Amino acid sequence: MRLATARHTPSGRVVFGAVVDDGLVDLSAAVTDQSELISMVHDPATRPAIDAAVEASARVPLDELTWLPPMPNPRRIMCVGTNYADHVAESDRISAAPDHPVIFTRFPSSLVGHGDDLVRPSASTSFDYEGELGIVIGQTTRHATQADALGAIGGFTCFMDGTLRDWQRHTSQFLPGKSFERSGAMGPWVVTADEIADPHALTLTTRVDGEVMQHASTSQLIHDLTAIIVYCSTFTTLEPGDVIATGTPGGVGYARDPQVWLVPGSRVEVDISGVGVLANTVVDEPTP
Ligand code: MG
C-alpha cells in the first residue's frame, strides 16, 4: 500500500490515505492521523480494517491534489550522516567511517512534499542535495534487537536531505544547515514494508536537471537499517510515523570539482527502486 498526504487544491482541505491508480483514497474520516494509519496498516490485527476502509472510502482525483510530506508532522525526524563509504571518502570533515551512526535531527517545517518548491534561503547560496532512503516507523519500539529491528519499519520513502553547507559548518552542530524552512523533501508516498522484499537491495539514484549525481545500492550502507534502529531505539522510544533518513551516498554537490549548487530552476529527483521518484524544483526565498 502507498500512503500519502495531500492538500485538496479546490477546497484547501488536507487529505491522507492510500494512493490507488486513479486517486487518493481519503482515510481521514476513518483514522485520526497518518501515524495511526501506518500503525494500523503495519499491525496484522488492524490491517483488515484499513483494507475495508480503502474499499469503502471516497477517492480524490490525483489532478486535484498537491502533495505534502506523507508524514507531515512526525514526532521525530532523525537523519544519519556519513553512512556510505564513498560519501565518507569525499568528506573533508572526517577521515574514517564513524564507529556509531551519526544522528542529527530535522524540523518537520524543513520538508516539502513531492512536486512542491524547494526554497533556497536568502541567507546562503551553498544549497546542496542529498538523496536518501527514508524509513518510517510502524510500531512503538524501544530496545530493538538485531533479530527484531527490521520489524519496526512500517514503510519506505524517498528523502531529500537538502543542506545549506555553510550553515552546516558554522559549528560542529549540523542542525541549522539541515533545517532551513522548505530546504528538504519527502515523498511522494510511503510504500508499506510488506511490498519491499529486501530493503538492503534498493537502488538509489539522485538526478539534478536530469543528470545522475548519485547512484548506489542500500546494500552499501555502513550502519544498515538494523543497526540504525537498534541504536536509535536504545536512547528513545521510536513511535509510529517517526522518520529516519538513512544517509546519502557519494556525489553530493560540494565535493564535486567544480562544485555544484542548487539554484532557482534546478530540478532534483530522488529515485528509489520499488519506492518511487521524489521530484522538486528550487525557487529563491521570496523577499519579505
Ligand atoms: Mg544526509
Side-chain angles (χ1 to χ4, degrees):
M1 189 177 290
R2 292 178 293 166
L3 308 179
T5 301
R7 188 176 305 283
H8 180 238
T9 315
S11 68
R13 199 166 62 91
V14 172
V15 296
F16 63 90
V19 179
V20 293
D21 289 340
D22 55 349
L24 177 69
V25 178
D26 180 14
L27 299 175
S28 57
V31 296
T32 305
D33 59 20
Q34 293 87 342
S35 298
E36 182 180 51
L37 175 59
I38 196 165
S39 169
M40 289 186 71
V41 171
H42 190 63
D43 183 344
T46 49
R47 172 73 183 253
I50 297 299
D51 289 337
V54 169
E55 288 302 314
S57 301
R59 300 179 179 201
V60 182
L62 293 179
D63 61 6
E64 294 182 7
L65 297 176
T66 303
W67 299 107
L68 297 170
M71 295 292 152
N73 204 16
R75 295 180 182 86
R76 296 170 188 79
I77 302 173
M78 295 189 280
C79 305
V80 185
T82 54
N83 204 23
Y84 286 84
D86 56 353
H87 186 53
V88 172
E90 72 186 0
S91 171
D92 56 9
R93 287 167 66 107
I94 57 169
S95 55
D99 292 337
H100 303 286
V102 174
I103 305 291
F104 60 92
T105 55
R106 288 189 75 112
F107 299 145
S109 60
S110 73
L111 298 175
V112 300
H114 170 64
D116 208 346
D117 292 337
L118 292 164
V119 173
R120 185 179 74 162
S122 54
S124 173
T125 55
S126 58
F127 190 17
D128 206 351
Y129 53 86
E130 294 190 357
E132 311 198 4
L133 173 68
I135 59 179
V136 181
I137 298 298
Q139 63 187 36
T140 303
T141 302
R142 187 81 203 274
H143 301 302
T145 65
Q146 292 282 325
D148 63 18
L150 289 181
I153 299 176
F156 301 90
T157 191
C158 305
F159 198 95
M160 209 296 278
D161 182 25
T163 305
L164 285 306
R165 293 293 179 201
D166 49 353
W167 279 73
Q168 182 188 10
R169 291 154 177 264
H170 282 169
T171 71
S172 63
Q173 302 295 317
F174 291 4
L175 186 142
K178 294 287 190 177
S179 271
F180 268 85
E181 301 280 311
R182 304 175 66 85
S183 62
M186 176 168 57
W189 41 63
V190 175
V191 174
T192 52
D194 56 298
E195 297 195 7
I196 300 293
D198 181 0
H200 293 109
L202 303 177
T203 301
L204 164 65
T205 305
T206 309
R207 292 180 289 269
V208 176
D209 297 333
E211 183 178 347
V212 174
M213 308 301 269
Q214 299 182 287
H215 188 69
S217 167
T218 54
S219 66
Q220 297 169 272
L221 286 165
I222 295 170
H223 300 286
D224 67 11
L225 305 184
T226 297
I228 292 167
I229 291 168
V230 168
Y231 189 83
C232 292
S233 72
T234 302
F235 68 83
T236 190
T237 300
L238 300 174
E239 297 178 89
D242 286 357
V243 175
I244 305 176
T246 57
T248 205
V252 297
Y254 84 85
R256 291 175 173 270
D257 184 15
Q259 292 181 316
V260 174
W261 300 120
L262 301 176
V263 298
S266 297
R267 183 169 177 81
V268 184
E269 295 172 296
V270 179
D271 183 341
I272 301 177
S273 57
V275 179
V277 181
L278 168 69
N280 299 89
T281 301
V282 176
V283 300
D284 257 338
E285 181 177 4
T287 31

